[in-house]
Amino acid sequence: MFADERIAVIGAGLAGCLVARQLADRGGMPEVFEKSRGTGGRLAAARLGGASADLGAALIDSKAAMHLLDARAQLPLEQWPHKRSDMKLMTCAEEEGWVPMPRASSLTRALLEGVPLYTETRIVALEEHNQGGWWLHTEAGETKGPYTRVVLAVPAPQAVPLLAASDPLQRAASSARMTPSWVSLLELPERPVKLAEVDVLEGDHPILARICRDSSKPGRSGEIWQLQANTRWSEQYVDADPGWVGQQLIGALSALLGESVKPDALRVHRWLYSNVESSQKIRPVSSCGSLAVCGDWVCGQGILAAVESANLLIRALETND
């Protein structure tokens, strides 16, 4: 299956990297193209001061982790027992999740072991060859190919212009709604007293959706916190200045703690396509079997949906053959 097939995977997020891994394990020859400087997508890591911190999803739930370990036993994943509270600090419960080691992007890097990866390469058009196969056109004016198949592992809005050759897939991508999320990483001089026993806070708040102590994760150090704004606030200020956004999130944390928070280092990032608001489950392969999609929007939302979409795609490709 897929023996010696040259297959282009566009997008080096979790779904794309998992598909590439499974294609390679089945004899295929996947090549991955990523518009950013590194892998991970919404499981990316970023530098903050002298350390590295997770910029996207705070953790991986147990079900998704088990699916990943089933696909490849030797992955840099470790269990993370942590204490979770609501935004009012009224409850505190022990929970478990999984985190990549030593940073989020280590997971996708491990999945791509031995797979060619081209970063900072934005694909802007696909061209179907009249004798079969696909050519990829980059933003820099280069042409890559030919490829037997192309897999789009990007957020639905980014997939739409590349799916002109498949009306059903393009309509499905057009109908999926994805929402933004502002995220800020803070390096603090010391751990806030009110959060001395809490690692993750989630719940109802006018600005914040999640507060996570990144430094509590296995293998991390320092005093780094991730603040994630909720969908409503992020949509309202989607085009705001990042510096202003960072100050608003710091202010929200200060108000929640009842003390002024003054970070030693700050990083702000906008995930334009962070969450899947609505989508429909689809068969992720075109009628000809050579164009396909994956990503959380194909199966639902979140990390588990991204993993399931990769598995669904592999099964669909095998069935199509």
Side-chain angles (χ1 to χ4, degrees), residues 207 227 245-257 259 261:
I207 295 178
L227 310 181
V245 170
Q247 292 306 310
Q248 298 307 303
L249 298 186
I250 292 172
L253 178 62
S254 297
L256 186 147
L257 298 178
E259 62 177 281
V261 174

Side-chain angles (χ1 to χ4, degrees), residues 62-242:
S62 295
K63 188 173 181 180
M66 292 304 102
H67 281 308
L68 287 165
L69 292 170
D70 284 343
R72 191 171 180 83
Q74 299 301 317
L75 285 177
L77 287 172
E78 188 167 324
Q79 283 185 291
W80 177 33
H82 58 276
K83 293 183 179 179
R84 184 180 293 260
S85 176
D86 59 21
M87 289 293 184
K88 295 181 180 179
L89 295 170
M90 298 296 291
T91 63
C92 189
E94 290 273 0
E95 294 196 15
E96 282 198 355
W98 292 72
V99 294
M101 293 284 292
R103 60 188 63 86
S105 56
S106 301
L107 174 59
T108 44
R109 282 286 182 179
L111 287 168
L112 290 183
E113 182 179 356
V115 175
L117 168 66
Y118 304 94
T119 58
E120 298 183 279
T121 304
R122 185 187 294 271
I123 306 302
V124 295
L126 305 180
E127 180 185 355
E128 191 172 11
H129 197 276
N130 55 14
Q131 294 181 350
W134 295 87
W135 295 90
L136 278 55
H137 299 285
T138 74
E139 188 175 50
E142 299 175 313
T143 299
K144 308 286 187 180
Y147 296 94
T148 305
R149 307 176 196 263
V150 175
V151 176
L152 300 180
V154 297
Q158 295 176 346
V160 170
L162 299 176
L163 288 170
S166 173
D167 287 342
L169 291 181
Q170 190 175 56
R171 285 197 301 270
S174 297
S175 68
R177 181 173 185 270
M178 301 190 72
T179 56
S181 179
W182 280 106
V183 173
S184 180
L185 296 176
L186 314 179
E187 183 179 26
L188 303 181
E190 58 185 7
R191 188 167 185 170
V193 174
K194 284 191 175 181
L195 302 181
E197 301 297 328
V198 180
D199 302 306
V200 179
L201 293 83
E202 289 182 328
D204 186 45
H205 189 276
I207 295 178
L208 299 170
R210 179 188 297 119
I211 302 170
C212 175
R213 185 175 187 261
D214 192 82
S215 304
S216 292
K217 298 175 183 178
R220 273 67 160 183
S221 60
E223 196 59 48
I224 297 178
W225 292 78
Q226 183 201 80
L227 310 181
Q228 179 182 334
N230 62 43
T231 296
R232 183 174 60 184
W233 193 90
S234 295
E235 284 189 309
Q236 184 177 358
Y237 298 105
V238 64
D239 293 320
D241 176 73

